Short mmCIF file of all heavy atoms in Angstrom, two decimals:
data_model
loop_
_atom_site.label_atom_id
_atom_site.label_comp_id
_atom_site.label_asym_id
_atom_site.label_seq_id
_atom_site.Cartn_x
_atom_site.Cartn_y
_atom_site.Cartn_z
N MET T 1 23.05 30.61 22.23
CA MET T 1 21.97 30.42 21.28
C MET T 1 22.52 29.95 19.93
O MET T 1 23.58 30.39 19.51
CB MET T 1 21.20 31.73 21.09
CG MET T 1 20.00 31.60 20.15
SD MET T 1 19.41 33.23 19.62
CE MET T 1 18.39 33.66 21.01
N LYS T 2 21.75 29.05 19.32
CA LYS T 2 22.14 28.58 17.99
C LYS T 2 20.97 28.70 17.03
O LYS T 2 19.81 28.75 17.45
CB LYS T 2 22.55 27.10 18.05
CG LYS T 2 23.94 26.90 18.54
CD LYS T 2 24.33 25.46 18.39
CE LYS T 2 25.72 25.30 18.96
NZ LYS T 2 25.97 23.95 19.43
N ILE T 3 21.31 28.71 15.77
CA ILE T 3 20.28 28.66 14.73
C ILE T 3 20.49 27.36 13.97
O ILE T 3 21.62 27.04 13.59
CB ILE T 3 20.45 29.84 13.74
CG1 ILE T 3 20.37 31.17 14.47
CG2 ILE T 3 19.41 29.75 12.64
CD1 ILE T 3 20.82 32.34 13.59
N ARG T 4 19.40 26.62 13.77
CA ARG T 4 19.48 25.43 12.91
C ARG T 4 18.60 25.66 11.70
O ARG T 4 17.50 26.18 11.81
CB ARG T 4 18.98 24.19 13.65
CG ARG T 4 19.91 23.75 14.71
CD ARG T 4 20.10 22.24 14.72
NE ARG T 4 21.04 21.96 15.80
CZ ARG T 4 20.65 21.66 17.04
NH1 ARG T 4 19.38 21.53 17.31
NH2 ARG T 4 21.55 21.48 17.98
N ILE T 5 19.12 25.27 10.57
CA ILE T 5 18.38 25.48 9.32
C ILE T 5 18.28 24.17 8.55
O ILE T 5 19.27 23.46 8.37
CB ILE T 5 19.10 26.55 8.46
CG1 ILE T 5 19.20 27.86 9.24
CG2 ILE T 5 18.34 26.76 7.15
CD1 ILE T 5 20.16 28.86 8.68
N ASP T 6 17.06 23.87 8.13
CA ASP T 6 16.83 22.69 7.31
C ASP T 6 17.22 23.07 5.88
O ASP T 6 16.38 23.37 5.03
CB ASP T 6 15.34 22.30 7.40
CG ASP T 6 15.05 21.03 6.64
OD1 ASP T 6 16.00 20.44 6.09
OD2 ASP T 6 13.88 20.64 6.59
N LYS T 7 18.53 23.03 5.66
CA LYS T 7 19.13 23.58 4.45
C LYS T 7 18.52 23.01 3.17
O LYS T 7 18.29 23.73 2.20
CB LYS T 7 20.63 23.25 4.50
CG LYS T 7 21.51 24.04 3.61
CD LYS T 7 22.96 23.83 4.06
CE LYS T 7 23.95 24.46 3.10
NZ LYS T 7 24.25 23.57 1.98
N SER T 8 18.24 21.72 3.17
CA SER T 8 17.74 21.09 1.95
C SER T 8 16.35 21.60 1.57
O SER T 8 15.92 21.46 0.43
CB SER T 8 17.70 19.57 2.12
OG SER T 8 16.86 19.23 3.20
N ALA T 9 15.64 22.21 2.53
CA ALA T 9 14.29 22.71 2.26
C ALA T 9 14.29 24.19 1.87
O ALA T 9 13.24 24.77 1.60
CB ALA T 9 13.40 22.50 3.49
N CYS T 10 15.47 24.80 1.81
CA CYS T 10 15.55 26.22 1.45
C CYS T 10 15.18 26.41 -0.02
O CYS T 10 15.64 25.69 -0.88
CB CYS T 10 16.98 26.72 1.70
SG CYS T 10 17.24 28.43 1.15
N VAL T 11 14.32 27.40 -0.27
CA VAL T 11 13.92 27.68 -1.66
C VAL T 11 14.49 29.02 -2.13
O VAL T 11 14.13 29.51 -3.19
CB VAL T 11 12.38 27.64 -1.84
CG1 VAL T 11 11.84 26.26 -1.53
CG2 VAL T 11 11.70 28.68 -0.97
N GLY T 12 15.35 29.61 -1.31
CA GLY T 12 16.03 30.83 -1.75
C GLY T 12 15.22 32.10 -1.60
O GLY T 12 15.39 33.04 -2.38
N ASN T 13 14.36 32.16 -0.61
CA ASN T 13 13.59 33.39 -0.39
C ASN T 13 14.47 34.58 -0.02
O ASN T 13 14.12 35.72 -0.30
CB ASN T 13 12.57 33.18 0.73
CG ASN T 13 11.38 32.38 0.27
OD1 ASN T 13 10.73 32.73 -0.71
ND2 ASN T 13 11.07 31.31 0.97
N ALA T 14 15.59 34.28 0.63
CA ALA T 14 16.60 35.29 1.02
C ALA T 14 16.08 36.35 2.00
O ALA T 14 16.72 37.38 2.19
CB ALA T 14 17.20 35.97 -0.21
N ARG T 15 14.92 36.10 2.60
CA ARG T 15 14.43 37.05 3.61
C ARG T 15 15.34 37.02 4.83
O ARG T 15 15.52 38.05 5.49
CB ARG T 15 13.02 36.67 4.05
CG ARG T 15 12.05 36.54 2.91
CD ARG T 15 11.12 37.73 2.85
NE ARG T 15 10.13 37.50 1.84
CZ ARG T 15 8.87 37.15 2.09
NH1 ARG T 15 8.46 37.03 3.33
NH2 ARG T 15 8.03 36.94 1.12
N CYS T 16 15.86 35.86 5.14
CA CYS T 16 16.74 35.73 6.30
C CYS T 16 17.97 36.63 6.12
O CYS T 16 18.34 37.38 7.01
CB CYS T 16 17.15 34.28 6.49
SG CYS T 16 17.90 33.52 5.03
N ALA T 17 18.57 36.57 4.93
CA ALA T 17 19.77 37.37 4.66
C ALA T 17 19.45 38.87 4.65
O ALA T 17 20.31 39.69 4.95
CB ALA T 17 20.40 36.95 3.34
N ALA T 18 18.21 39.20 4.29
CA ALA T 18 17.82 40.61 4.31
C ALA T 18 17.79 41.14 5.74
O ALA T 18 18.04 42.31 5.99
CB ALA T 18 16.45 40.78 3.66
N ILE T 19 17.52 40.26 6.70
CA ILE T 19 17.55 40.64 8.12
C ILE T 19 19.00 40.76 8.59
O ILE T 19 19.38 41.72 9.24
CB ILE T 19 16.80 39.62 9.00
CG1 ILE T 19 15.34 39.47 8.55
CG2 ILE T 19 16.92 39.97 10.48
CD1 ILE T 19 14.43 40.61 8.93
N SER T 20 19.81 39.76 8.27
CA SER T 20 21.22 39.82 8.65
C SER T 20 22.07 38.98 7.70
O SER T 20 22.01 37.75 7.71
CB SER T 20 21.42 39.32 10.09
OG SER T 20 22.81 39.26 10.37
N GLU T 21 22.86 39.67 6.89
CA GLU T 21 23.76 38.96 5.98
C GLU T 21 24.88 38.28 6.73
O GLU T 21 25.51 37.36 6.23
CB GLU T 21 24.37 39.95 4.98
CG GLU T 21 23.40 40.40 3.92
CD GLU T 21 24.03 41.40 2.95
OE1 GLU T 21 25.06 42.01 3.32
OE2 GLU T 21 23.46 41.56 1.87
N VAL T 22 25.16 38.79 7.92
CA VAL T 22 26.25 38.23 8.71
C VAL T 22 25.84 36.86 9.26
O VAL T 22 26.59 35.88 9.17
CB VAL T 22 26.63 39.18 9.85
CG1 VAL T 22 27.66 38.55 10.78
CG2 VAL T 22 27.15 40.49 9.30
N LEU T 23 24.64 36.78 9.82
CA LEU T 23 24.17 35.52 10.39
C LEU T 23 23.78 34.52 9.30
O LEU T 23 24.14 33.35 9.36
CB LEU T 23 22.97 35.75 11.31
CG LEU T 23 23.23 36.38 12.67
CD1 LEU T 23 21.91 36.67 13.36
CD2 LEU T 23 24.10 35.48 13.52
N PHE T 24 23.03 35.02 8.34
CA PHE T 24 22.43 34.12 7.34
C PHE T 24 23.14 34.27 6.00
O PHE T 24 22.75 35.05 5.15
CB PHE T 24 20.93 34.42 7.19
CG PHE T 24 20.17 34.27 8.48
CD1 PHE T 24 19.89 35.38 9.26
CD2 PHE T 24 19.76 33.02 8.92
CE1 PHE T 24 19.20 35.25 10.45
CE2 PHE T 24 19.07 32.89 10.11
CZ PHE T 24 18.78 34.00 10.88
N GLU T 25 24.21 33.50 5.89
CA GLU T 25 25.04 33.59 4.70
C GLU T 25 24.39 32.80 3.55
O GLU T 25 23.96 31.67 3.75
CB GLU T 25 26.39 32.95 5.04
CG GLU T 25 27.57 33.63 4.42
CD GLU T 25 28.84 32.95 4.89
OE1 GLU T 25 29.13 33.02 6.10
OE2 GLU T 25 29.51 32.35 4.04
N LEU T 26 24.37 33.39 2.38
CA LEU T 26 23.81 32.70 1.22
C LEU T 26 24.93 32.20 0.32
O LEU T 26 26.00 32.79 0.26
CB LEU T 26 22.89 33.63 0.42
CG LEU T 26 21.70 34.24 1.16
CD1 LEU T 26 20.82 34.99 0.17
CD2 LEU T 26 20.89 33.18 1.89
N ASP T 27 24.65 31.12 -0.43
CA ASP T 27 25.64 30.64 -1.39
C ASP T 27 25.47 31.42 -2.71
O ASP T 27 24.60 32.29 -2.83
CB ASP T 27 25.55 29.12 -1.59
CG ASP T 27 24.22 28.69 -2.18
OD1 ASP T 27 23.53 29.52 -2.80
OD2 ASP T 27 23.87 27.50 -2.02
N ASP T 28 26.28 31.09 -3.70
CA ASP T 28 26.26 31.84 -4.96
C ASP T 28 24.93 31.76 -5.68
O ASP T 28 24.60 32.62 -6.50
CB ASP T 28 27.38 31.35 -5.88
CG ASP T 28 28.75 31.73 -5.34
OD1 ASP T 28 28.82 32.63 -4.47
OD2 ASP T 28 29.75 31.11 -5.76
N ASP T 29 24.16 30.72 -5.40
CA ASP T 29 22.86 30.56 -6.05
C ASP T 29 21.72 31.20 -5.26
O ASP T 29 20.56 31.11 -5.64
CB ASP T 29 22.56 29.07 -6.26
CG ASP T 29 23.58 28.42 -7.18
OD1 ASP T 29 23.95 29.06 -8.18
OD2 ASP T 29 24.02 27.29 -6.89
N GLY T 30 22.06 31.81 -4.11
CA GLY T 30 21.04 32.49 -3.33
C GLY T 30 20.33 31.63 -2.31
O GLY T 30 19.32 32.04 -1.73
N TYR T 31 20.86 30.44 -2.09
CA TYR T 31 20.31 29.58 -1.04
C TYR T 31 21.13 29.72 0.23
O TYR T 31 22.31 30.08 0.16
CB TYR T 31 20.29 28.11 -1.48
CG TYR T 31 19.38 27.85 -2.63
CD1 TYR T 31 19.84 27.91 -3.94
CD2 TYR T 31 18.03 27.57 -2.41
CE1 TYR T 31 18.99 27.69 -5.02
CE2 TYR T 31 17.17 27.34 -3.48
CZ TYR T 31 17.66 27.40 -4.77
OH TYR T 31 16.81 27.20 -5.82
N ILE T 32 20.53 29.38 1.33
CA ILE T 32 21.25 29.47 2.60
C ILE T 32 22.48 28.55 2.55
O ILE T 32 22.41 27.43 2.05
CB ILE T 32 20.32 29.14 3.79
CG1 ILE T 32 20.95 29.55 5.11
CG2 ILE T 32 19.90 27.67 3.82
CD1 ILE T 32 20.84 31.01 5.43
N ALA T 33 23.61 29.05 3.04
CA ALA T 33 24.87 28.32 2.88
C ALA T 33 25.24 27.49 4.11
O ALA T 33 26.16 26.68 4.06
CB ALA T 33 25.99 29.30 2.55
N VAL T 34 24.53 27.69 5.20
CA VAL T 34 24.93 27.05 6.45
C VAL T 34 23.76 26.31 7.10
O VAL T 34 22.60 26.66 6.88
CB VAL T 34 25.48 28.09 7.44
CG1 VAL T 34 26.87 28.54 7.04
CG2 VAL T 34 24.56 29.29 7.54
N GLU T 35 24.08 25.28 7.89
CA GLU T 35 23.04 24.50 8.56
C GLU T 35 22.92 24.84 10.03
O GLU T 35 21.86 24.69 10.62
CB GLU T 35 23.36 23.00 8.44
CG GLU T 35 22.95 22.43 7.13
CD GLU T 35 23.08 20.93 7.09
OE1 GLU T 35 24.15 20.42 7.49
OE2 GLU T 35 22.13 20.28 6.67
N GLU T 36 24.04 25.25 10.61
CA GLU T 36 24.02 25.59 12.03
C GLU T 36 24.89 26.82 12.25
O GLU T 36 25.97 26.93 11.69
CB GLU T 36 24.54 24.42 12.86
CG GLU T 36 24.28 24.65 14.33
CD GLU T 36 24.48 23.36 15.13
OE1 GLU T 36 23.63 22.48 15.03
OE2 GLU T 36 25.50 23.27 15.83
N ILE T 37 24.38 27.73 13.03
CA ILE T 37 25.08 28.99 13.27
C ILE T 37 25.14 29.22 14.78
O ILE T 37 24.12 29.13 15.46
CB ILE T 37 24.33 30.17 12.62
CG1 ILE T 37 24.12 29.93 11.12
CG2 ILE T 37 25.06 31.48 12.87
CD1 ILE T 37 23.00 30.76 10.50
N ASP T 38 26.31 29.52 15.29
CA ASP T 38 26.44 29.99 16.66
C ASP T 38 26.17 31.48 16.66
O ASP T 38 26.87 32.23 16.00
CB ASP T 38 27.85 29.72 17.19
CG ASP T 38 28.01 28.28 17.64
OD1 ASP T 38 27.10 27.78 18.32
OD2 ASP T 38 29.03 27.68 17.28
N VAL T 39 25.16 31.90 17.41
CA VAL T 39 24.79 33.31 17.41
C VAL T 39 25.72 34.09 18.34
O VAL T 39 25.76 33.80 19.54
CB VAL T 39 23.32 33.49 17.85
CG1 VAL T 39 22.94 34.96 17.86
CG2 VAL T 39 22.40 32.68 16.93
N PRO T 40 26.47 35.04 17.81
CA PRO T 40 27.33 35.85 18.68
C PRO T 40 26.49 36.67 19.66
O PRO T 40 25.35 37.01 19.35
CB PRO T 40 28.06 36.79 17.69
CG PRO T 40 27.87 36.20 16.35
CD PRO T 40 26.58 35.44 16.41
N GLU T 41 27.09 36.94 20.80
CA GLU T 41 26.39 37.73 21.81
C GLU T 41 25.94 39.07 21.22
O GLU T 41 26.68 39.70 20.46
CB GLU T 41 27.33 37.97 22.98
CG GLU T 41 26.61 38.08 24.31
CD GLU T 41 27.56 37.80 25.45
OE1 GLU T 41 28.18 36.71 25.45
OE2 GLU T 41 27.69 38.67 26.31
N GLY T 42 24.73 39.46 21.54
CA GLY T 42 24.21 40.73 21.05
C GLY T 42 23.44 40.60 19.75
O GLY T 42 22.81 41.55 19.32
N MET T 43 23.49 39.42 19.11
CA MET T 43 22.79 39.26 17.84
C MET T 43 21.54 38.38 17.97
O MET T 43 20.97 37.94 16.97
CB MET T 43 23.73 38.69 16.78
CG MET T 43 24.88 39.64 16.47
SD MET T 43 25.87 39.13 15.05
CE MET T 43 24.86 39.71 13.69
N GLU T 44 21.12 38.14 19.22
CA GLU T 44 19.98 37.24 19.46
C GLU T 44 18.70 37.75 18.80
O GLU T 44 17.93 36.95 18.24
CB GLU T 44 19.76 37.06 20.96
CG GLU T 44 20.87 36.28 21.68
CD GLU T 44 22.02 37.17 22.12
OE1 GLU T 44 22.03 38.38 21.79
OE2 GLU T 44 22.95 36.64 22.79
N GLN T 45 18.47 39.06 18.90
CA GLN T 45 17.25 39.61 18.32
C GLN T 45 17.21 39.44 16.80
O GLN T 45 16.18 39.07 16.23
CB GLN T 45 17.11 41.11 18.66
CG GLN T 45 16.51 41.38 20.02
CD GLN T 45 15.21 40.61 20.23
OE1 GLN T 45 15.19 39.59 20.92
NE2 GLN T 45 14.14 41.08 19.62
N LEU T 46 18.36 39.68 16.17
CA LEU T 46 18.46 39.50 14.72
C LEU T 46 18.22 38.04 14.36
O LEU T 46 17.58 37.74 13.36
CB LEU T 46 19.84 39.93 14.22
CG LEU T 46 20.04 41.42 14.00
CD1 LEU T 46 21.50 41.68 13.62
CD2 LEU T 46 19.13 41.95 12.90
N ALA T 47 18.74 37.15 15.18
CA ALA T 47 18.57 35.72 14.93
C ALA T 47 17.09 35.35 14.96
O ALA T 47 16.58 34.65 14.08
CB ALA T 47 19.34 34.90 15.96
N ARG T 48 16.38 35.88 15.98
CA ARG T 48 14.95 35.57 16.10
C ARG T 48 14.15 36.17 14.95
O ARG T 48 13.27 35.53 14.40
CB ARG T 48 14.41 36.12 17.43
CG ARG T 48 14.91 35.37 18.63
CD ARG T 48 14.03 35.58 19.84
NE ARG T 48 14.56 34.81 20.96
CZ ARG T 48 15.43 35.28 21.84
NH1 ARG T 48 15.86 36.52 21.76
NH2 ARG T 48 15.87 34.50 22.82
N ARG T 49 14.51 37.39 14.60
CA ARG T 49 13.80 38.03 13.49
C ARG T 49 14.05 37.28 12.18
O ARG T 49 13.14 37.10 11.36
CB ARG T 49 14.25 39.49 13.34
CG ARG T 49 13.57 40.42 14.33
CD ARG T 49 14.11 41.82 14.21
NE ARG T 49 13.96 42.36 12.86
CZ ARG T 49 14.68 43.37 12.37
NH1 ARG T 49 15.61 43.93 13.13
NH2 ARG T 49 14.49 43.83 11.16
N GLY T 50 15.28 36.86 11.99
CA GLY T 50 15.61 36.10 10.78
C GLY T 50 14.84 34.80 10.71
O GLY T 50 14.32 34.42 9.66
N ALA T 51 14.74 34.12 11.84
CA ALA T 51 14.01 32.85 11.88
C ALA T 51 12.54 33.08 11.53
O ALA T 51 11.95 32.30 10.77
CB ALA T 51 14.14 32.23 13.27
N ARG T 52 11.97 34.15 12.07
CA ARG T 52 10.55 34.44 11.79
C ARG T 52 10.34 34.86 10.34
O ARG T 52 9.26 34.70 9.80
CB ARG T 52 10.07 35.57 12.69
CG ARG T 52 9.66 35.13 14.08
CD ARG T 52 8.77 36.17 14.74
NE ARG T 52 9.37 37.50 14.80
CZ ARG T 52 10.10 37.95 15.82
NH1 ARG T 52 10.30 37.17 16.87
NH2 ARG T 52 10.60 39.15 15.81
N SER T 53 11.39 35.38 9.73
CA SER T 53 11.22 35.96 8.39
C SER T 53 11.11 34.91 7.29
O SER T 53 10.63 35.20 6.21
CB SER T 53 12.39 36.89 8.07
OG SER T 53 13.54 36.12 7.75
N CYS T 54 11.56 33.71 7.56
CA CYS T 54 11.57 32.69 6.51
C CYS T 54 10.17 32.14 6.29
O CYS T 54 9.61 31.52 7.18
CB CYS T 54 12.53 31.55 6.87
SG CYS T 54 12.49 30.25 5.61
N PRO T 55 9.61 32.34 5.10
CA PRO T 55 8.25 31.86 4.83
C PRO T 55 8.15 30.34 4.84
O PRO T 55 7.06 29.79 5.03
CB PRO T 55 7.95 32.38 3.42
CG PRO T 55 8.99 33.42 3.15
CD PRO T 55 10.18 33.04 3.96
N GLU T 56 9.28 29.66 4.63
CA GLU T 56 9.26 28.19 4.64
C GLU T 56 9.33 27.63 6.06
O GLU T 56 9.19 26.43 6.26
CB GLU T 56 10.44 27.64 3.83
CG GLU T 56 10.57 28.21 2.42
CD GLU T 56 9.33 27.97 1.59
OE1 GLU T 56 8.85 26.84 1.59
OE2 GLU T 56 8.83 28.93 0.96
N ARG T 57 9.59 28.49 7.02
CA ARG T 57 9.66 28.08 8.44
C ARG T 57 10.69 26.96 8.66
O ARG T 57 10.40 25.98 9.35
CB ARG T 57 8.28 27.60 8.93
CG ARG T 57 7.25 28.71 8.92
CD ARG T 57 7.36 29.56 10.17
NE ARG T 57 6.46 30.69 10.16
CZ ARG T 57 6.85 31.96 10.05
NH1 ARG T 57 8.10 32.26 9.98
NH2 ARG T 57 5.98 32.93 10.07
N ILE T 58 11.85 27.12 8.06
CA ILE T 58 12.86 26.07 8.20
C ILE T 58 14.00 26.51 9.11
O ILE T 58 14.99 25.80 9.27
CB ILE T 58 13.44 25.68 6.82
CG1 ILE T 58 14.06 26.90 6.10
CG2 ILE T 58 12.34 25.06 5.96
CD1 ILE T 58 14.84 26.52 4.86
N ILE T 59 13.87 27.71 9.69
CA ILE T 59 14.91 28.22 10.59
C ILE T 59 14.42 28.07 12.02
O ILE T 59 13.36 28.57 12.37
CB ILE T 59 15.23 29.70 10.30
CG1 ILE T 59 15.59 29.88 8.81
CG2 ILE T 59 16.36 30.18 11.20
CD1 ILE T 59 15.89 31.32 8.42
N THR T 60 15.19 27.36 12.82
CA THR T 60 14.82 27.10 14.21
C THR T 60 15.84 27.73 15.15
O THR T 60 17.05 27.63 14.91
CB THR T 60 14.82 25.58 14.49
OG1 THR T 60 14.16 24.93 13.41
CG2 THR T 60 14.11 25.26 15.78
N ILE T 61 15.33 28.36 16.18
CA ILE T 61 16.21 28.91 17.22
C ILE T 61 16.38 27.86 18.31
O ILE T 61 15.42 27.27 18.78
CB ILE T 61 15.58 30.17 17.84
CG1 ILE T 61 15.43 31.29 16.80
CG2 ILE T 61 16.40 30.65 19.04
CD1 ILE T 61 16.73 31.90 16.33
N VAL T 62 17.63 27.60 18.67
CA VAL T 62 17.91 26.66 19.76
C VAL T 62 18.47 27.48 20.92
O VAL T 62 19.59 27.99 20.85
CB VAL T 62 18.93 25.60 19.34
CG1 VAL T 62 19.15 24.59 20.44
CG2 VAL T 62 18.48 24.92 18.04
N GLU T 63 17.66 27.65 21.95
CA GLU T 63 18.10 28.43 23.12
C GLU T 63 19.12 27.63 23.89
O GLU T 63 19.08 26.40 23.89
CB GLU T 63 16.89 28.73 24.03
CG GLU T 63 15.76 29.47 23.34
CD GLU T 63 16.02 30.97 23.21
OE1 GLU T 63 17.04 31.46 23.75
OE2 GLU T 63 15.20 31.64 22.55
N ASP T 64 20.03 28.31 24.55
CA ASP T 64 20.98 27.62 25.42
C ASP T 64 20.23 26.97 26.56
O ASP T 64 19.23 27.50 27.03
CB ASP T 64 22.01 28.61 25.96
CG ASP T 64 22.89 29.15 24.86
OD1 ASP T 64 23.14 28.43 23.89
OD2 ASP T 64 23.32 30.32 24.95
N ASP T 65 20.71 25.82 27.01
CA ASP T 65 20.06 25.16 28.14
C ASP T 65 20.16 26.04 29.38
O ASP T 65 21.21 26.61 29.65
CB ASP T 65 20.77 23.83 28.43
CG ASP T 65 20.46 22.81 27.34
OD1 ASP T 65 19.43 23.00 26.66
OD2 ASP T 65 21.25 21.87 27.19
N ALA T 66 19.07 26.12 30.08
CA ALA T 66 19.08 26.88 31.33
C ALA T 66 19.91 26.12 32.36
O ALA T 66 19.91 24.90 32.38
CB ALA T 66 17.66 27.07 31.84
N GLU T 67 20.64 26.83 33.12
CA GLU T 67 21.49 26.20 34.15
C GLU T 67 20.65 25.52 35.21
O GLU T 67 19.63 26.03 35.59
CB GLU T 67 22.37 27.25 34.82
CG GLU T 67 23.38 27.88 33.85
CD GLU T 67 24.54 26.95 33.55
OE1 GLU T 67 25.09 26.38 34.50
OE2 GLU T 67 24.88 26.79 32.37
FE1 F3S S 101 16.09 29.98 2.51
FE2 F3S S 101 14.21 30.79 4.13
FE3 F3S S 101 16.41 32.16 3.96
S1 F3S S 101 13.90 29.81 2.16
S2 F3S S 101 17.19 31.84 1.89
S3 F3S S 101 16.22 30.07 4.70
S4 F3S S 101 14.39 33.00 4.04
#
């Protein structure tokens, strides 16, 4: 699973980081610092919650292709 973020559209709500600071790293100005994140095993739920938490709806979950 991956997370894709439309970084340029981030307005610094920081709700994503409140769900998981590990997955959703912020830069010094409080904006999301990354565009694509590989979700470590076991963190899928946090990834989904983080994606839902962004009021700008700029966080997308990319599921692994089914075999
Ligand atoms: Fe940005 Fe949304 Fe997180 S606006 S800081 S990606 S909650």
Side-chain angles (χ1 to χ4, degrees):
M1 183 195 277
K2 279 188 183 153
I3 301 168
R4 289 223 180 93
I5 302 165
D6 184 2
K7 198 166 173 275
S8 59
C10 175
V11 298
N13 283 306
R15 305 256 186 103
C16 55
I19 302 285
S20 174
E21 286 179 340
V22 174
L23 285 174
F24 301 97
E25 217 177 294
L26 301 187
D27 64 21
D28 291 342
D29 298 318
Y31 295 92
I32 194 80
V34 285
E35 279 188 312
E36 191 166 287
I37 304 160
D38 280 315
V39 180
E41 211 159 304
M43 296 189 81
E44 292 86 355
Q45 277 309 103
L46 278 175
R48 290 200 179 91
R49 280 176 57 201
R52 277 199 304 268
S53 76
C54 177
E56 309 301 313
R57 296 278 176 249
I58 58 170
I59 306 179
T60 315
I61 297 291
V62 184
E63 303 281 354
D64 294 329
D65 289 338
E67 295 285 313

